């Protein structure tokens, strides 16, 4: 007969848990596609979402070089940046791909993980919005040209001499038409930037001359608010390799913002210097500063976004804009391999600086990045 022995109650020692199936379940739950590759770029693991985004079956995908399936994926080297983001078309879908380096416990890079998200629907919605804006802008430009032309004729006395009141009315119409033309041109310009259809002349732009000309043109607007414009232009400044119209657009947006968002009696300072680099490429740095209302911390990440206008700032709302200026400025600066940034203190002022190479690399063509 079996003898039963009673043992004191013991807490069982947990066996090491096999977590690989948990990892697998998590990977399979994800709505994003995951593609893991080893150091030589060979795919070692994929989840089901990635399989359906890439097409085929997991068995045929695993073992292939990732670059064969995602040719536009940025390559990451252990000594370079740790992650990169890009958008690409794969199997008729638009994928947003983020690729990150993976490290082991000792900190050695072991390969990469690419996270793929299907953004076809958002991309289509964005295109529809862009097309709508472009069509509406073009359609509005024609009647506006007629309104402007006939009002100019009236103001010039072609329809008979005008009383003082009538002159005031026609001038108000002309001022507002000019504003609408500017807004519509900005929309059309932004749409050409986005589609990469921007025309440019392989020319040289004289920034010092452009700055002087724009400040002269903006003088009446500045004087209206009691503002003073100060220029500090490096005498060594030479023309840079860029289309003058594009450089004028950048400068005009920054200078008009410094006027619009200033305080009565304030100052606008425009400084342009040549920064010679050891390799003699040379950069021009332009800073436009004001001592106006400044930018709130919460708004800082958004000022370069399209159609961004902060909420609840009476003065800024009065200043009337569409929130396209800085988005266009950034896209243009970056298209010329430059960079733009700003410093700002609420209620004290802002200072926008851009640097742009004096010469573009050989074979340069104006590739404009999406502005969103
Ligand atoms: P807009 O001036 O038409 O609104 P922008 O794209 O030029 O569009 O600027 C976006 C927003 O950034 C503005 O609405 C404003 O709130 C803020 N901003 C731009 N420049 C300045 C500046 N110099 N000072 C304060 N705020 C500014």
């Amino acid at each position: 007969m079996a003898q039963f022995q009673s043992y004191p109650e013991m807490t069982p020692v947990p066996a090491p848990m096999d977590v690989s199936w948990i990892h697998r379940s998590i990977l399979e739950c994800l709505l994003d596609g995951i593609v893991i590759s080893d150091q030589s770029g060979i795919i070692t693991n994929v989840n089901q979402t990635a399989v359906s985004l890439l097409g085929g079956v997991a068995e045929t995908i695993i073992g292939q070089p990732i670059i064969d399936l995602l040719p536009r994926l940025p390559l990451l080297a252990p000594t370079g940046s740790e992650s990169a983001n890009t958008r690409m078309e794969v199997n008729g879908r638009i994928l947003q791909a983020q690729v990150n380096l993976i490290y082991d416990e000792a900190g050695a890079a072991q390969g990469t993980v690419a996270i793929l998200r299907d953004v076809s629907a958002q991309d289509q919605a964005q295109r529809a919005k862009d097309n709508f804006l472009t069509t509406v802008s073009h359609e509005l430009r024609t009647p506006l040209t007629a309104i402007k032309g006939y009002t100019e004729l009236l103001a010039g006395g072609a329809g008979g001499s005008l009383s003082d009141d009538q002159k005031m009315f026609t001038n108000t119409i002309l001022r507002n038409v000019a504003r609408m033309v500017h807004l519509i041109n900005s929309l059309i310009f932004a749409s050409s930037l986005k589609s990469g259809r921007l025309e440019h002349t392989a020319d040289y732009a004289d920034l010092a001359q452009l700055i002087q000309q724009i400040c002269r043109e903006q003088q009446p607007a500045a004087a209206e608010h009691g503002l003073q414009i100060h220029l500090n232009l490096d005498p060594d400044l030479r023309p840079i390799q860029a289309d003058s119209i594009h450089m004028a657009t950048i400068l005009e947006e920054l200078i008009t913002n410094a006027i619009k968002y200033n305080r009565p009696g304030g100052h606008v300072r425009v400084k342009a210097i040549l920064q010679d680099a050891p390799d003699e490429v040379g950069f021009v740095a332009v800073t436009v500063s004001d001592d106006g209302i400044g930018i709130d911390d919460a708004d800082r990440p958004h000022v370069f976004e399209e159609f961004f206008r902060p909420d609840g700032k009476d003065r800024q709302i009065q200043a009337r804009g569409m929130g396209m200026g800085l988005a266009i400025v950034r896209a243009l600066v970056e298209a010329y391999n430059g960079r733009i940034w700003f410093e700002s203190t609420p209620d004290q002022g802002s200072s926008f600086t851009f640097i742009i190479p004096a010469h573009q690399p050989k074979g340069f063509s104006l590739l404009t990045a999406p502005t969103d």
Side-chain angles (χ1 to χ4, degrees):
M1 204 174 152
Q3 291 278 310
F4 288 97
Q5 199 180 344
S6 70
Y7 291 96
E9 224 170 90
M10 289 170 66
T11 314
V13 177
M17 189 164 58
D18 177 12
V19 291
S20 60
W21 68 271
I22 300 182
H23 289 165
R24 169 56 50 194
S25 321
I26 293 172
L27 281 186
E28 294 309 339
C29 286
L30 295 175
L31 295 176
D32 289 339
I34 304 288
V35 183
I36 299 170
S37 321
D38 65 14
Q39 285 157 303
S40 42
I42 301 296
I43 299 175
T44 55
N45 222 321
V46 280
N47 69 351
Q48 201 47 49
T49 311
V51 171
S52 59
L53 291 175
L54 297 174
V57 289
E59 289 70 27
T60 57
I61 292 174
I62 292 172
Q64 287 202 50
I66 189 164
I67 213 67
D68 285 1
L69 294 173
L70 297 166
R72 292 201 46 212
L73 199 70
L75 294 173
L76 296 182
T79 48
S81 73
E82 295 194 344
S83 71
N85 230 308
T86 190
R87 209 170 252 224
M88 61 182 85
E89 191 175 336
V90 177
N91 295 331
R93 292 189 176 110
I94 306 296
L95 301 187
Q96 181 72 42
Q98 168 161 4
V99 51
N100 289 357
L101 281 172
I102 351 181
Y103 296 94
D104 63 12
E105 283 163 358
Q110 292 300 311
T112 57
V113 55
I115 303 163
L116 309 175
R117 180 165 294 182
D118 186 353
V119 292
S120 311
Q122 291 99 304
D123 190 74
Q124 205 178 2
Q126 183 67 36
R127 274 172 211 267
K129 187 186 99 185
D130 293 345
N131 287 342
F132 173 77
L133 284 175
T134 312
T135 312
V136 169
S137 311
H138 278 108
E139 291 302 315
L140 283 174
R141 199 148 66 167
T142 317
L144 264 181
T145 310
I147 295 171
K148 183 169 178 265
Y150 281 106
T151 316
E152 276 168 354
L153 282 176
L154 278 179
S161 61
L162 301 183
S163 68
D164 285 350
D165 275 354
Q166 287 167 333
K167 277 185 194 151
M168 197 182 76
F169 297 155
T170 48
N171 284 340
T172 309
I173 297 172
L174 280 176
R175 238 190 0 261
N176 283 282
V177 166
R179 224 174 64 224
M180 276 185 82
V181 169
H182 179 78
L183 294 181
I184 286 167
N185 285 344
S186 298
L187 283 175
I188 294 174
F189 197 72
S191 114
S192 338
L193 263 174
K194 284 177 129 190
S195 59
R197 281 183 282 109
L198 200 65
E199 287 176 11
H200 71 112
T201 53
D203 215 350
Y204 278 79
D206 187 335
L207 291 191
Q209 198 184 40
L210 287 173
I211 291 170
Q212 283 166 331
Q213 181 192 327
I214 292 165
C215 289
R216 235 187 347 263
E217 286 164 6
Q218 294 300 325
Q219 189 54 45
E224 206 177 303
H225 297 102
L227 304 175
Q228 282 183 39
I229 304 182
H230 309 270
L231 300 188
N232 179 356
L233 306 175
D234 189 339
D236 291 337
L237 220 53
R238 291 182 297 273
I240 65 164
Q241 194 185 351
D243 189 311
S244 291
I245 294 181
H246 297 162
M247 293 304 113
T249 303
I250 296 171
L251 293 165
E252 198 175 308
E253 292 293 346
L254 296 179
I255 294 169
T256 51
N257 276 352
I259 293 174
K260 270 197 301 188
Y261 301 111
N262 218 313
R263 300 267 180 219
H267 299 265
V268 172
R269 293 187 171 81
V270 187
K271 180 177 173 189
I273 53 168
L274 181 72
Q275 292 183 330
D276 268 325
D279 56 5
E280 289 181 1
V281 173
F283 283 87
V284 172
V286 179
T287 302
V288 180
S289 341
D290 60 70
D291 35 29
I293 56 176
I295 295 168
D296 283 349
D297 285 351
D299 297 330
R300 295 177 72 92
H302 307 291
V303 292
F304 289 111
E305 287 170 9
E306 287 185 359
F307 300 111
F308 172 73
R309 309 224 66 228
D311 296 327
K313 271 200 173 168
D314 287 352
R315 163 74 206 210
Q316 273 162 327
I317 291 163
Q318 278 167 22
R320 289 179 302 243
M322 195 174 44
M324 283 302 290
L326 290 179
I328 290 176
V329 166
R330 183 171 68 175
L332 274 176
V333 169
E334 290 181 354
Y336 282 96
N337 297 308
R339 290 288 167 267
I340 181 161
W341 66 92
F342 68 91
E343 286 157 36
S344 184
T345 310
D347 294 323
Q348 286 187 28
S350 310
S351 175
F352 283 78
T353 300
F354 70 89
I355 56 166
I356 211 155
H359 298 280
Q360 295 298 330
K362 232 178 167 168
F364 166 75
S365 79
L366 198 70
L367 283 177
T368 48
T371 51
D372 53 357

